[in-house]
Amino acid sequence: MEPAYRGLGRCACAFWLAVAFDIFGLLILLLGVFADVFFYDFLIYAGAIIIFLSLIWWVFWYTGNIEVPPAELEDDVGLLKKDKGGSGGIGGAVRRLSSRVSSGIRSSLRRNGGPPRVGSSAHARVARQPENLPVALATMTPREDTPHTVSAAVDCDVAMPHTTTETSPT
């Protein structure tokens, strides 16, 4: 048997927190309005923010006290209505078809060892590049007027301008 909630409902803690935030925020706001202090604007804004934050507790209290009859929870939590014939009609046919398709998919995944992994699929093995590529480099003496070329094993020449490196004494 469910306990009978009277007055504040199930979420009395959220209710009292909301009331406390409202009272505290109102006191700070009124202190900022009527007190003769140089930081009155801070008190006014802080009181308004605290009152705004009390809305969170009011929403918690309100939503915590919403009562939904089990008849309306049918599809939300997996309960089926027995009075409307859950296994007949178009809804029942769709439900049976859906359960057959999902159980078929589940059984095929179990049979095949689960969904394919990214690292072990065939297209990932084909797309993998070799780690070390052979590169042939030639040693040349630099000239001031001609650009340097580097020949790779794939027969492409890349022209590189001559650069000098300056080092600073340490």
Side-chain angles (χ1 to χ4, degrees), residues 102-118:
S102 62
S103 66
I105 291 172
R106 241 183 275 126
S107 66
S108 70
L109 288 177
R110 286 187 194 129
R111 194 174 336 125
N112 295 334
R117 295 186 188 126
V118 176

Side-chain angles (χ1 to χ4, degrees), residues 6-162:
R6 297 185 340 254
L8 299 179
R10 284 180 279 248
C11 304
C13 183
F15 175 83
W16 289 115
L17 276 170
V19 169
F21 269 59
D22 280 338
I23 291 172
F24 185 65
L26 187 63
L27 287 176
I28 298 231
L29 188 132
L30 291 176
L31 186 67
V33 171
F34 293 114
D36 189 23
V37 291
F38 69 94
F39 55 93
Y40 67 93
D41 53 347
F42 171 75
L43 294 174
I44 292 172
Y45 287 127
I49 290 171
I50 293 170
I51 291 172
F52 177 75
L53 291 177
S54 77
L55 289 174
I56 296 171
W57 299 113
W58 285 116
V59 169
F60 283 168
W61 175 73
Y62 180 77
T63 56
N65 286 312
I66 293 175
E67 293 186 18
V68 180
E72 292 183 24
L73 289 175
E74 115 181 43
D75 289 332
D76 295 337
V77 293
L79 298 175
L80 297 176
K81 289 185 179 178
K82 294 179 181 160
D83 57 348
K84 288 196 176 182
S87 62
I90 295 176
V94 169
R95 199 170 284 118
R96 283 191 305 271
L97 177 67
S98 171
S99 66
R100 283 182 188 168
V101 169
S102 62
S103 66
I105 291 172
R106 241 183 275 126
S107 66
S108 70
L109 288 177
R110 286 187 194 129
R111 194 174 336 125
N112 295 334
R117 295 186 188 126
V118 176
S120 66
S121 63
H123 68 276
R125 283 192 296 270
V126 171
R128 192 175 298 149
Q129 297 292 328
E131 294 179 16
N132 297 324
L133 290 175
V135 177
L137 299 176
T139 305
M140 300 175 62
T141 57
R143 292 187 198 166
E144 294 295 323
D145 55 345
T146 61
H148 300 287
T149 59
V150 177
S151 299
V154 291
D155 294 326
C156 64
D157 294 332
V158 178
M160 297 174 50
H162 177 68

